[in-house]
Amino acid sequence: MSNVQKTKHSIYNTARKLSKEVAADLKVEFHQDVLDIIAELVYKKLVLYGGDLDAFQKHAKRSTITADDVKLLVRRSETLKTVVESKMNLLSSLKPAEAPTAVKRKRK
């Protein structure tokens, strides 16, 4: 089994498990076909997000996806934007204070 297949399988299983937990909280039951459709939608959305993040990183001429790329990805969803910003603030508060760096002058 390839890494892509393993990842897809893991995403499907996790999406089904979370869907069952939500269904239990709502006191409803999802048919197995519905769980499969939800899992497929989650997988396709994650693939789309991955492509978008890759495009943002390449556009910025970077080899690494940054938190700013994620913020750009979720810019249209106020709920997700709030979650991402709060997580970024939490992470930045956990980092040790960095020493100020010297400002480089641009050559003309």
Side-chain angles (χ1 to χ4, degrees):
M1 189 182 280
S2 73
N3 283 339
V4 173
Q5 289 172 326
K6 287 179 186 177
T7 303
K8 187 174 183 176
H9 184 70
S10 177
I11 291 169
Y12 270 59
N13 286 338
T14 304
R16 286 184 188 110
K17 180 181 172 190
L18 290 172
S19 297
K20 288 177 183 178
E21 289 175 10
V22 169
D25 288 344
L26 297 174
K27 296 181 175 77
V28 295
E29 191 174 324
F30 292 141
H31 190 272
Q32 187 61 38
D33 291 341
V34 173
L35 294 174
D36 293 341
I37 291 169
I38 291 170
E40 180 67 20
L41 290 172
V42 168
Y43 177 76
K44 287 188 176 194
K45 192 67 169 181
L46 289 173
V47 168
L48 181 68
Y49 281 171
D52 288 348
L53 288 169
D54 190 50
F56 297 156
Q57 157 249 295
K58 285 180 181 172
H59 179 73
K61 296 181 173 89
R62 287 184 274 103
S63 60
T64 306
I65 294 171
T66 65
D68 288 332
D69 296 325
V70 177
K71 281 175 56 176
L72 184 61
L73 179 72
V74 300
R75 70 191 178 278
R76 292 190 182 114
S77 171
E78 285 301 321
T79 307
L80 284 175
K81 189 175 167 185
T82 303
V83 170
V84 169
E85 287 174 349
S86 68
K87 294 292 182 185
M88 286 177 63
N89 290 337
L90 177 66
L91 289 173
S92 66
S93 69
L94 296 176
K95 290 183 183 176
E98 297 178 7
T101 57
V103 177
K104 293 183 180 181
R105 294 182 185 210
K106 292 184 179 180
R107 293 184 182 181
K108 291 185 179 182

